[in-house]
Amino acid sequence: MKTSARVIEMQESPLRKLIPLADEAKKKGIKVYHLNIGQPDIETPPNFLRAIKNFDEKVVGYSISNGCPNLRQAIVDYYKKQNINFAENEILITNGGSEALLFSLLATTEPGDEILVPEPFYTNYNTIAKIAGISIKPITTLPETGFKIPAKKEIEKLITPKTKAILFSNPGNPTGAVYSYEELKVLADLAKKHDLYLISDEVYREFVYDGFEFTSCENFAGISDRVIIIDSISKRYSACGARIGSIASKNKELMANILKLCQSRLCVPTLEQAGAVELYKTPHSYFEKVNAEYKKRRDIVFEKLAKIPGVQCQKPRGAFYIMAELPIENAEDFAKWMLTDFNLDGETVMFAPAEGFYATKGLGKNEIRIAYVLEEKKLSRAMDIFEAGLREYRKLTS
Ligand SMILES: Cc1ncc(COP(=O)(O)O)c(C=O)c1O
């Protein structure tokens, strides 16, 4: 039997391909600290499970394809507090931010089209682009500038008649960059000038540190019909398994067409939507606590990395990731070796080699991404193990 070229050509998740090695290490009794994926250990606010326990319908029925009205209203109210203005009918509920991304690309591009994405970028954008039959043209951003958006004329060179959208995450996974108003204005101006959609993946919206201001793309005047906001409760409320995301746009025609895609999968789980309604009512003080926790973790990782000879990294302003350049040639080989050949008193660390976050061949080979999703003590220990492993690996490979 044949398998389609569509799936054969799809890239295996560069983050998940090391999992069998971690499983093998665990079978040998080695404890693995997971700094490889954005799965926070922060407790999901209890109002989520309470709402599910209190669900009092006799039948768990389908909900409507665009999502429960009370969830859409809860998101409208949440957005209002963030100075983002959408009406209930400008929001569609999706199975996580992932489906929101997929539906947005399916609705804004034709097979063969191109989208611009600042690289390094969230690797799943590759898979989603493949499903939509489109290609990603990377806007290369550099660690030494804090992964800032380059000048307008640099980006403009990448635009062709096939370019239909600019997609980016802000705050950024894997970079931790938070775009300033001026950087976003560059993208907004280009979108207007070249008739492009601006797909703004804001799933890390609250995770911004050091008093830096987050700017949503919704705030740009005169382009509201081009802006699509991608959202999710996965990171915001540490509810990755609930699979609740959303698409927000003021473009009525676009939204009516995305609704057809929503109808193809009938609905998003009814119970999780009930839980998400309560999550979106979580008071703002929750984010203050969670942010303080992530900031502490970021500082631990950054300070430990900065002390390791030969390691280059910048302090990220947002999300919960940090990129680092290592004094080795092949970060993937090092990441594998940490799982297969190294342990410090029976413990090792898993992190993400960064090559898979780049579309430009050859970039990111000696870079990694660390997700600071473990509590202070574990994170500190994991970073000590990382440092010991890097020292040992360098001795073996130099
Ligand atoms: C930038 C970004 N966008 C979207 C997602 C998708 O998240 P989910 O489908 O869990 O909402 C992720 C998950 O890691 C992400 O990092």
Side-chain angles (χ1 to χ4, degrees):
M1 295 296 289
K2 269 179 101 174
T3 311
S4 72
R6 186 192 296 125
V7 289
I8 290 170
E9 281 166 18
M10 253 176 217
Q11 157 200 59
E12 194 188 351
S13 162
L15 305 188
R16 290 180 187 265
K17 74 181 177 194
L18 300 186
I19 289 174
L21 302 182
D23 290 343
E24 278 304 306
K26 287 176 200 167
K27 270 192 214 149
K28 286 190 246 159
I30 293 171
K31 179 179 165 99
V32 180
Y33 289 93
H34 284 275
L35 304 181
N36 55 308
I37 57 165
Q39 165 66 68
D41 66 346
I42 306 280
E43 251 182 52
T44 311
N47 47 2
F48 175 77
L49 284 176
R50 208 177 301 129
I52 290 179
K53 279 188 197 132
N54 292 341
F55 184 81
D56 66 356
E57 303 286 330
K58 291 270 187 294
V59 175
V60 181
Y62 290 121
S63 80
I64 55 173
S65 297
N66 41 357
C68 292
N70 55 347
L71 177 54
R72 284 184 282 134
Q73 187 55 48
I75 296 177
V76 169
D77 297 341
Y78 153 85
Y79 274 149
K80 227 169 233 138
K81 289 186 206 140
Q82 313 281 328
N83 264 333
I84 297 172
N85 291 305
F86 282 111
E88 191 199 310
N89 63 359
E90 293 168 341
I91 291 171
L92 291 168
I93 306 302
T94 56
N95 286 291
S98 308
E99 191 183 69
L101 286 161
L102 174 64
F103 285 179
S104 299
L105 290 183
L106 286 173
T108 54
T109 63
E110 305 292 345
D113 278 343
E114 295 166 355
I115 57 168
L116 301 184
V117 184
E119 73 173 348
F121 56 79
Y122 171 50
T123 55
N124 210 20
Y125 289 172
N126 280 318
T127 311
I128 293 168
K130 257 290 185 256
I131 298 174
I134 60 174
S135 51
I136 290 179
K137 271 211 169 172
I139 303 169
T140 304
T141 68
L142 304 168
E144 52 271 29
T145 68
F147 300 103
K148 272 197 180 318
I149 294 292
K152 202 182 283 178
K153 62 176 187 312
E154 290 305 311
I155 303 175
E156 211 151 28
K157 286 182 203 158
L158 303 169
I159 297 175
T160 74
K162 287 184 174 177
T163 311
K164 295 293 158 59
I166 307 175
L167 164 65
F168 55 92
S169 79
N170 179 37
N173 173 10
T175 60
V178 181
Y179 296 143
S180 64
Y181 176 86
E182 290 71 27
E183 288 172 277
L184 289 170
K185 177 95 171 47
V186 167
L187 301 181
D189 288 350
L190 285 170
K192 200 169 176 181
K193 181 171 171 195
H194 295 275
D195 193 19
L196 309 175
Y197 282 100
L198 214 48
I199 306 176
S200 183
D201 180 345
E202 302 182 3
V203 303
Y204 298 97
R205 183 181 297 110
E206 281 81 8
F207 306 122
V208 177
Y209 317 112
D210 306 330
F212 199 76
E213 285 254 320
F214 169 79
T215 308
S216 172
C217 263
E218 200 279 324
N219 299 125
F220 284 88
I223 57 159
S224 59
D225 58 333
R226 331 189 151 270
V227 172
I228 302 173
I229 305 285
I230 304 296
D231 247 312
S232 164
I233 65 168
S234 291
K235 321 289 173 169
R236 179 159 305 133
Y237 300 110
S238 200
C240 298
R243 312 309 306 134
I244 299 290
S246 60
I247 299 176
S249 171
K250 293 193 182 300
N251 184 325
K252 287 195 169 39
E253 191 189 339
L254 175 75
M255 290 298 264
N257 282 307
I258 296 180
L259 178 57
K260 295 181 208 160
L261 294 168
C262 294
Q263 286 165 348
S264 75
R265 50 75 169 131
L266 309 186
C267 74
V268 166
T270 303
L271 283 177
E272 269 82 353
Q273 289 191 76
V277 170
E278 295 309 311
L279 283 183
Y280 269 112
K281 293 179 187 165
T282 308
H284 191 73
S285 53
Y286 166 81
F287 295 119
E288 284 163 16
K289 265 208 334 247
V290 172
N291 263 27
E293 176 63 28
Y294 279 128
K295 183 181 176 309
K296 205 162 54 183
R297 295 174 181 193
R298 179 205 60 174
D299 292 345
I300 291 171
V301 177
F302 176 73
E303 276 153 30
K304 295 229 178 216
L305 280 173
K307 279 191 195 136
I308 305 175
V311 172
Q312 310 268 2
C313 64
Q314 304 252 350
K315 197 182 262 190
R317 283 172 166 164
F320 38 67
Y321 306 100
I322 184 165
M323 295 271 291
E325 216 177 316
L326 306 183
I328 57 173
E329 276 184 14
N330 188 328
E332 182 170 325
D333 185 63
F334 171 47
K336 285 180 177 163
W337 177 87
M338 284 291 283
L339 296 169
T340 54
D341 288 70
F342 180 78
N343 71 82
L344 186 68
D345 303 326
E347 298 182 327
T348 194
V349 183
M350 189 173 179
F351 48 86
E355 197 177 0
F357 297 115
Y358 288 88
T360 304
K361 284 259 167 307
L363 291 185
K365 255 194 165 0
N366 64 342
E367 292 172 37
I368 60 162
R369 184 198 70 179
I370 286 176
Y372 41 95
V373 289
L374 300 181
E375 53 91 0
E376 216 175 325
K377 245 175 141 173
K378 286 184 187 156
L379 193 58
S380 192
R381 169 76 182 147
M383 292 310 295
D384 291 343
I385 297 167
F386 175 84
E387 181 181 1
L390 183 59
R391 207 179 314 122
E392 185 80 17
Y393 181 82
R394 285 186 75 190
K395 270 195 225 152
L396 290 172
T397 53
S398 58

